[in-house]
Amino acid sequence: MNRRFAGQRRDVVSLLGTGLTLGATLICLGILAVILGYLLWLGAPQVSWRFLTAGAESDMFDVNKAGIFPMLIGTVARVFLMTLFVIPIGVTTAVYLTEYAANNSLLTRFIRGAVNNLAGVPSIVFGLFGVGFFINFIGGQLDEWSASPAPHWGKPALLWASLTLAVMTLPVVIVATEESLKAIPPGLREASLALGATKLQTLCQIVVPHALPGILTGGILAISRAAGEVAPILFTGAAYYLRDTPKSLSDQFMDLAYHVFVLSTQSPNIEATRPLLFGTVVVLLLLTFSLNWVAIIVRARMRRANRVGN
Amino acid sequence: MSSDFLPRLTMEATVPADEVTPPPSAPLIETKHLELFYGQHRALKGIDLAILEKRVTALIGPSGCGKSTYLRCFNRMNDLIDGCRVVGECRIGGEDIYDPKVDVIELRKRVGMVFQKSNPFPKSIFENIAYGLRLHGQKTKPEIEAVVEKSLRDAALWDEVKDRLNQSALGLSGGQQQRLCIARAIAIRPEIILMDEPASALDPLATTKIEELILGLKRDFTIVIVTHNMQQATRISDFTAFFYLGELIEYDLTSRIFTNPAKKQTEDYVTGRFG
Amino acid sequence: MGIHRSHRVRPLEWLAEQLIRLLSLTAILVVFLIFLFVGRESLPIVLGQMNSAAPQTVIPVEQFDSLPSERIRAYLGLSAKEFQSLNQETLKALLEIRVEAALEGSTNRDAGLNTTEWRYLLKPYQWSDYERPVYIWQPVSEVPKYNLVPLLVGSLKTTLAALFFSVPIALGAALYVSQLASPSAKELIKPAIELLSAIPSVVLGSFAMLVLATALQALTGSQFRLNALLAGIALGMASIPVIFSLAEDALTSVPVAYTQAALALGASRWRAAWQIVLPAAIPGVFAAVVLGFGRCIGETMVVLLASGNASILSGSFLDPCRTLTATIAAELGEPVVGSHHYRMLFLLGTLLFTVTFLTNVVGDLVMHRLKSGLEGRK
């Protein structure tokens, strides 16, 4: 009698469909594997202590001498500065949206719409914005007030690049923070308020500590996104070659991601400088991937913790 | 305090000797024609009720009848809901708590609340209770420690947790968590404790413990409890109010509500014919 | 019972709330400022106030000392500050250049044209030395040519190639991961595909330019190593994770009950996914594609590195092309602030901003419709 349930007929369409979608999935994974594998294979041998700590003093295209130390410093500096701007603003915006604003008020809808749109604006437009607003407008004004003979602020600078990136990554932080604020069981807020806590006390002592992992995730994702971006800093602060690492906020800087671009396009002998390029790429990838990885782990842990909390 | 909607109740409360009747006491919470709107929807349709001091008053009724909503009027938790509006009078100790001059924070210090779902903070057991104390200005460590211990003893939890005060409250069982929430509420010495189906998520054993606790707390606090469990209402409450579709149908001594209700609807409900 | 306010307001509370509200307005402010400052720089062109034509009257260098400095400043088109920062020798040199340009210009019949007018931006024009009317973007030349059509076509071409490549793959993967894969496989595959988005676009572009280009050229036998197809494929790789995660979200948000009902009727998992879940999630899938389009059209570094950057108009995918984004990235370093070339690049930015703004709005609207549809208001 069992035979009545045994598969007699092959459902060709289903098999084909499943096969095709599986194929698509494998292609996605294949792309990732090929790119990473190839770049790591060729780039990893180049990464050495000397490579990481040497400057580009003599010849930035000399495979045996050039290093990426100034670029590393530049990238870390711009990303760190960006974090200082984007975290406070992003987190407070998310707090306002979830804790204070009426859910469907016009203002809330406007802010949400703005955040959504900001997330879709091309990175090069942020670059234009940086030039038009930060450098020419704000920088120009500053120079006029300080009456400096040569442009001091009205030119590409570390500060402007960081601010431009902060504007670009604002939605990342807002969305991640909002998500984690929404994931807090409403009972916790009620419990605190019912004890006679004010909104601010509830926020500072219950809500934000509970949402901290999510806020952290947002910050890390923003950093990872910003670390690999070139377009917004092309004209707001990154420099092709500099003798020194940046000493002040108004200095320009060399940058890891921009250096990848420089090595790909400006090298006098692209074949000879390939190891340099791939070495730089590997360091950049390690940076963004490890950050993403940390974000994924923090987020998974947060989800588990929240489940226990329920 | 002339309350024309109370006569039957207060008179009854003074007279019969055969029933185990509590001695008379003054109404602590009074509402006069209290209405509550969610946007356009009228969730409470003019509730007149007086709740007596140091008594347990149970609010019963089928789900969606407005009993929880009514309870939440007393500490203005409904304020947190967008588009929620209260009309009419709600007095606690003679003061209109919806007066614009009222400080909600002060109000909530005096009207504690225990929720349906236990909601301890993701902190240690000690910190859960200390949180409310610190909010209200107690700073010194010995002071706080003393109150934490007393509250936990009052909530019949001390013996179970005294050795792990610094462990996370989330590690406690459901019943223990709920008793911790009660301890947290009584730690700041409110006058009134509101309980919104505090035992509905607990097993019978844990429920019994909570009920014993409530009976014990009656000496010091005025308790208003929402419950859908009618046996529970008979076991712990002195007075019972029956709500149906946003209206107060009947309010009386608990014994009377369950043995000799005045209204047909009440009788149908308590005998289990609907709801 | 003393519930009245002891202190009428809590100043700290009030202050904090105002501060929070103020900071949250930054998001709106920023969007507004982007539009304002990118748009502002391009406004003179939109309004037809710029003139790229060579000046008709020429001031000979000898008149430098006799004329008021204000007149010379205006003639040279310098700001007061710039004017101050330049010494006499430089100014004279600038005048000299103008004189020479005017002399040469007289031989070129196009020198007097204002090429920033809309008709030169959008329609073909037969420049002197050209045999027929052309669409051409050539900002750095004697007569700057700013035709936008080749850039628009370039952007569309790479984007289409990218979507042609990435949409089937990303949607197929999304369908497989959300409906067909086992939960444990899903836990592994999903983050892996999303990790693709962690590859910086400059790395993708560089990889395409150095590695992929060789392979593709061998495959297609194209004359050009770098071309629209290559840029499209690299761009596709960048947009796969975007389309994948949005589509996967949309598919996952379809209630499991739908699938279970279909399975209970004897459908295979594939049929349940294809015939029940996919149609229910189609608005979300559409939104994913729209937002993927926005991502492609706005991507810069990939196309800058892989497209070949030739601003010629061609219908072939095997020809090099140049996009709006790459043009900005390649040229913004050159022009003087406030010049017509500078403003033209900001015009491209405004265009990009508008296009992505619209795609976002469309994507959002469709996504909302999906959500409200699934919540039972259909």
Side-chain angles (χ1 to χ4, degrees), chain B residues 13-246:
Chain B
T14 56
V15 191
D18 51 326
E19 293 171 335
V20 191
T21 312
S25 71
L28 182 60
I29 309 176
E30 271 185 287
T31 62
K32 283 185 192 165
H33 207 75
L34 189 81
E35 297 197 321
L36 183 138
F37 295 85
Y38 292 123
Q40 293 301 312
H41 172 67
R42 195 161 68 133
L44 294 176
K45 303 169 181 169
I47 310 292
D48 291 327
L49 192 75
I51 289 168
L52 301 189
E53 200 176 351
K54 306 259 165 89
R55 296 287 177 273
V56 178
T57 305
L59 312 180
I60 62 169
S63 12
C65 67
K67 54 191 192 303
S68 282
T69 307
Y70 183 60
L71 186 80
R72 286 164 163 259
C73 288
F74 301 150
N75 64 346
R76 292 184 56 174
M77 284 306 268
N78 288 326
D79 289 14
L80 303 175
I81 300 166
D82 277 345
C84 182
R85 198 159 47 85
V86 174
V87 185
E89 231 178 74
C90 179
R91 291 181 177 278
I92 294 182
E95 289 183 79
D96 183 357
I97 62 165
Y98 283 91
D99 188 291
K101 285 207 219 58
V102 163
D103 186 346
V104 184
I105 306 303
E106 288 297 319
L107 171 70
R108 289 186 188 145
K109 271 190 217 172
R110 288 174 165 73
V111 185
M113 186 159 193
V114 178
F115 296 82
Q116 176 171 11
K117 204 169 150 188
S118 63
N119 50 4
F121 301 123
K123 301 170 183 260
S124 71
I125 295 169
F126 182 87
E127 280 304 316
N128 258 279
I129 296 173
Y131 176 72
L133 300 173
R134 293 212 182 91
L135 284 181
H136 301 307
Q138 286 192 23
K139 291 270 174 347
T140 64
K141 183 112 188 177
E143 217 174 54
I144 291 178
E145 274 172 353
V147 181
V148 168
E149 178 174 345
K150 180 169 185 334
S151 311
L152 284 171
R153 281 188 192 284
D154 288 350
L157 194 60
W158 175 252
D159 292 331
E160 293 162 56
V161 300
K162 64 179 177 221
D163 300 324
R164 46 170 173 155
L165 288 176
N166 291 319
Q167 290 176 23
S168 169
L170 299 179
L172 296 174
S173 73
Q176 288 173 324
Q177 286 192 6
Q178 195 59 300
R179 275 180 284 147
L180 177 66
C181 290
I182 294 176
R184 185 174 67 186
I186 60 180
I188 54 172
R189 308 309 293 174
E191 289 161 44
I192 300 166
I193 302 176
L194 310 175
M195 298 190 173
D196 190 352
E197 304 196 18
S200 67
L202 302 180
D203 61 70
L205 210 66
T207 305
T208 312
K209 281 199 172 164
I210 300 271
E211 287 179 4
E212 281 167 5
L213 177 55
I214 291 172
L215 286 172
L217 291 173
K218 199 165 79 167
R219 272 181 296 127
D220 301 317
F221 304 96
T222 305
I223 296 172
V224 188
I225 178 169
V226 166
T227 177
H228 60 232
N229 177 340
M230 281 174 279
Q231 284 74 37
Q232 186 170 66
T234 56
R235 283 193 297 264
I236 59 172
S237 71
D238 304 306
F239 298 97
T240 297
F242 171 58
F243 283 75
Y244 185 58
L245 294 178

Side-chain angles (χ1 to χ4, degrees), chain C residues 11 83 96 98 103 107 122 155 165 272 343 345:
Chain C
F83 189 71
E96 191 79 41
R98 287 291 172 108
L103 283 174
T107 64
L122 296 176
S155 274
F165 166 65
R343 295 200 186 286
L345 294 176

Side-chain angles (χ1 to χ4, degrees), chain C residues 81-99:
Chain C
K81 207 173 67 184
E82 284 166 334
F83 189 71
Q84 300 241 306
S85 67
L86 299 172
N87 62 20
Q88 278 211 2
E89 293 312 309
T90 324
L91 288 170
K92 280 184 178 163
L94 283 174
L95 285 180
E96 191 79 41
I97 292 171
R98 287 291 172 108
V99 172

Side-chain angles (χ1 to χ4, degrees), chain A residues 87-109:
Chain A
I87 294 278
I89 296 179
V91 171
T92 30
T93 305
V95 163
Y96 178 76
L97 285 175
T98 48
E99 308 289 319
Y100 284 93
N103 216 345
N104 266 321
S105 75
L106 205 61
L107 184 66
T108 323
R109 284 213 303 245

Side-chain angles (χ1 to χ4, degrees), chain A residues 31 35, chain C residues 158 161-163 165-166 196 199-209 212-213 216 227-241 295-296 299 301-307:
Chain A
I31 291 174
I35 295 181
Chain C
T158 47
L163 292 180
F165 166 65
S166 66
L196 255 180
I199 301 180
S201 59
V202 69
V203 172
L204 271 181
S206 179
F207 178 78
M209 178 188 176
L212 214 56
L216 196 73
N227 53 42
L229 183 65
L230 177 70
I233 290 175
L235 210 49
M237 291 179 187
S239 62
I240 280 178
R295 170 80 211 266
C296 286
E299 177 52 60
M301 296 319 284
V302 168
V303 286
L304 182 62
L305 285 163
S307 69

